């Protein structure tokens, strides 16, 4: 199959990562979690612009990139235009590889791949996203007040990601909105697959997963 790009954007903890992995596996597409690029730049420390310009594949395999702290650090380095610019070519090359690609992030449909064949904007209310994060990070076993703290963190991250001058988080004009507040993971994945399959058919491609 030729190139076929699926851009999946949305705020933290809306379910984009889970949906992206599931649809990539379903259609046999390659998947790039672009948040990992910013997380690796934040985790490397030192000058973030130099870190982004010298980023190596092994930097993405670090095992400390999934924490809340790494997400915060990523969100802070992601406001720097030179950091974003250094990561563009890699993402665009990945998007146009043969056989189909799913990229998830904040600016894939708006800046990195404005011509993506499919654009999905996956979202959920701040309360639902904070609740999911809280459950992931210990839930009822975590410290008193932690629920409010996670909600405050989610809101602060939204404000930074949506409020930055360069490539702010927002849905592309032609993105399909997928609000997962009231959906199970299975339902959200099913809807995403239906949207992608319809676009594949429109592009003259076979939407059935490889045998
Ligand atoms: O999706 P994530 O939580 O791994 O992303 C971490 C941070 O990286 C996010 O808060 C903002 C930044 N980011 C970005 O600016 N652009 C992207 N395409 C992906 C992530």
């Amino acid at each position: 199959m030729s190139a076929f790009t699926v851009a999946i954007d949305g705020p933290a903890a809306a379910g984009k990562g889970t949906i992206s992995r599931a649809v990539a596996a379903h259609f046999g597409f390659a998947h790039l979690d672009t948040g990992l690029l910013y997380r690796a730049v934040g985790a490397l420390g030192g000058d973030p612009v130099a870190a982004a310009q010298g980023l190596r594949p092994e930097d993405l395999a670090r095992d400390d990139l999934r924490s809340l702290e790494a997400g915060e650090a990523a969100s802070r380095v992601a406001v720097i235009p030179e950091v974003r610019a250094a990561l563009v070519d890699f993402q665009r090359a990945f998007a146009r590889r043969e056989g189909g690609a799913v990229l998830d992030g904040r600016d894939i449909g708006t800046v990195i791949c404005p011509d993506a064949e499919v654009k999905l904007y996956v979202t959920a209310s701040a309360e639902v996203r904070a609740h999911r994060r809280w459950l992931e990070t210990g839930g009822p076993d975590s410290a008193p007040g932690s629920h409010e703290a996670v909600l405050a963190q989610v809101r602060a991250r939204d404000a930074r990601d949506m409020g930055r001058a360069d490539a702010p988080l927002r849905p592309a004009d032609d993105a399909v909105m997928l609000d997962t507040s009231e959906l199970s993971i299975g339902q959200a994945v099913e809807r995403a697959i239906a949207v992608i399959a319809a676009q594949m058919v429109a592009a003259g491609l076979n939407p059935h997963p490889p045998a």
Side-chain angles (χ1 to χ4, degrees):
M1 197 183 98
S2 52
F4 186 90
T5 307
V6 179
I8 303 189
D9 292 304
K16 337 179 265 310
T18 308
I19 293 171
S20 300
R21 279 190 296 278
V23 299
H26 178 87
F27 290 106
F29 294 169
H31 171 227
L32 179 64
D33 168 1
T34 65
L36 273 186
L37 304 173
Y38 296 90
R39 285 171 182 259
V41 170
L44 281 166
D47 172 16
V49 177
Q53 288 167 345
L55 202 64
R56 297 161 309 163
E58 53 268 39
D59 297 327
L60 305 182
R62 294 168 63 120
D63 56 12
D64 58 352
L65 299 182
R66 303 274 173 198
S67 66
L68 281 175
E69 294 71 31
E72 282 298 306
S75 176
R76 281 194 293 272
V77 298
V79 304
I80 305 169
E82 293 83 358
V83 165
R84 307 198 70 81
L87 302 175
V88 168
D89 288 349
F90 175 77
Q91 295 175 84
R92 287 197 179 141
F94 190 97
R96 296 319 288 168
R97 65 201 279 154
E98 294 285 303
V102 179
L103 285 82
D104 73 281
R106 302 290 188 291
D107 62 339
I108 308 304
T110 50
V111 173
I112 302 295
C113 303
D115 297 326
E117 281 78 5
V118 181
K119 295 180 190 175
L120 279 169
Y121 190 85
V122 177
T123 188
S125 71
E127 288 75 15
V128 166
R129 290 184 286 120
H131 189 68
R132 289 178 186 158
R133 264 290 139 81
W134 178 73
L135 288 176
E136 274 168 23
T137 53
D141 296 332
S142 52
S146 59
H147 200 277
E148 292 71 21
V150 176
L151 179 57
Q153 254 170 4
V154 162
R155 291 210 162 110
R157 182 105 83 91
D158 283 357
R160 198 184 297 121
D161 291 349
M162 294 175 185
R164 67 180 177 227
D166 189 20
L169 169 64
R170 64 169 182 83
D173 293 339
D174 52 351
V176 175
M177 305 296 285
L178 183 55
D179 187 328
T180 68
S181 303
E182 314 266 317
L183 300 180
S184 68
I185 291 171
Q187 288 170 325
V189 168
E190 211 174 286
R191 291 199 194 177
I193 286 175
V195 171
I196 297 165
Q199 280 307 114
M200 289 178 78
V201 170
L205 298 168
N206 175 3
H208 298 296

